[in-house]
Amino acid sequence: GNSVTQMEGPVTLSEEAFLTINCTYTATGYPSLFWYVQYPGEGLQLLLKATKADDKGSNKGFEATYRKETTSFHLEKGSVQVSDSAVYFCALSDVGSSGSARQLTFGSGTQLTVLP
Amino acid sequence: ETGVTQSPTHLIKTRGQQVTLRCSSQSGHNTVSWYQQALGQGPQFIFQYYREEENGRGNFPPRFSGLQFPNYSSELNVNALELDDSALYLCASSPDRGTNSPLHFGNGTRLTVT
């Protein structure tokens, strides 16, 4: 079945540091890939997505490139801010075992804390 | 544009009881998915409803059931609650069933089973 493996956290960085959160996936089909962010007490918000190999998703200074050859979708940001502190989830979307619903399979999440 | 709203925000139940969680979809969205997020883990797919019909189901037992109404709002029902059902339950709506349709999540219902 499909699975997503994320870099274990928590990750603590100083403001303006470079961020990388690793994500690799296993899928039988051709999934779309996503990064979601969850702020304390809130639901998940879509951060960025990529729908096919070599696509680069970007938003709010975050980037991730869909690498089919390494089955990876690592999240990067050149200069993090305190407001980026949150939990980040890598996810893939594909047809599940039920055969019809397009479902998201999530990684376990990476807690990021950015210190001023 | 109204986003996805869930109620209640918090709930405490006793093992063996039944619970109903509610979700109002974002305007114009006809697909609703439910996810269970245990503490410290990523969300897990429970099931999806499309135009009032169950459209797919994850690896959850039959005591997890749902409904979608003509206005596309939805309910998640859990019977015979177990301690392991304690989690954040997230509802997400989307404009259609396609892979690339963005999911819009609500803030969730935190269920505690004692």
Side-chain angles (χ1 to χ4, degrees), chain A residues 57-100:
Chain A
S58 60
N59 187 26
K60 300 180 182 179
F62 291 90
E63 293 183 338
T65 301
Y66 190 147
R67 302 283 188 204
K68 191 166 183 291
E69 63 277 11
T70 55
T71 61
S72 65
F73 192 56
H74 304 322
L75 182 68
E76 295 183 338
K77 186 175 185 183
S79 177
V80 292
Q81 305 301 312
V82 171
S83 57
D84 293 328
S85 298
V87 182
Y88 291 81
F89 292 94
C90 184
L92 68 83
S93 176
D94 201 353
V95 175
S97 57
S98 61
S100 56

Side-chain angles (χ1 to χ4, degrees), chain B residues 23-74:
Chain B
C23 171
S24 293
S25 305
Q26 185 160 322
S27 176
H29 289 188
N30 58 24
T31 303
V32 172
S33 302
W34 285 90
Y35 287 79
Q36 181 195 65
Q37 185 179 12
L39 197 62
Q41 298 184 21
Q44 288 196 298
F45 176 72
I46 303 175
F47 45 56
Q48 181 184 91
Y49 278 81
Y50 171 69
R51 295 187 175 181
E52 303 178 57
E53 299 281 336
E54 186 177 294
N55 185 50
R57 190 178 185 90
N59 190 25
F60 280 81
R63 59 189 185 84
F64 285 78
S65 63
L67 283 173
Q68 188 181 30
F69 299 100
N71 66 354
Y72 301 135
S73 65
S74 177

Side-chain angles (χ1 to χ4, degrees), chain A residues 30-32 34 36 38 41-46 49 51 89 93-94 97-98 100-109, chain B residues 33 35 37 40-45 48 54-58 88 90 97-108:
Chain A
Y30 298 93
S32 294
F34 305 81
Y36 280 84
Q38 187 173 36
E42 298 184 12
L44 286 82
Q45 299 175 25
L46 177 64
K49 70 176 185 181
T51 59
F89 292 94
S93 176
D94 201 353
S97 57
S98 61
S100 56
R102 295 283 181 171
Q103 64 190 67
L104 286 172
T105 300
F106 287 88
S108 57
Chain B
S33 302
Y35 287 79
Q37 185 179 12
Q41 298 184 21
Q44 288 196 298
F45 176 72
Q48 181 184 91
E54 186 177 294
N55 185 50
R57 190 178 185 90
L88 181 68
L90 295 166
R97 296 178 294 176
T99 303
N100 299 329
S101 295
L103 289 189
H104 297 254
F105 283 86
N107 287 343

Side-chain angles (χ1 to χ4, degrees), chain B residues 11-28:
Chain B
L11 201 52
I12 300 175
K13 289 286 190 178
T14 302
R15 189 170 50 184
Q17 285 187 315
Q18 178 265 344
V19 68
T20 297
L21 311 182
R22 296 181 173 82
C23 171
S24 293
S25 305
Q26 185 160 322
S27 176

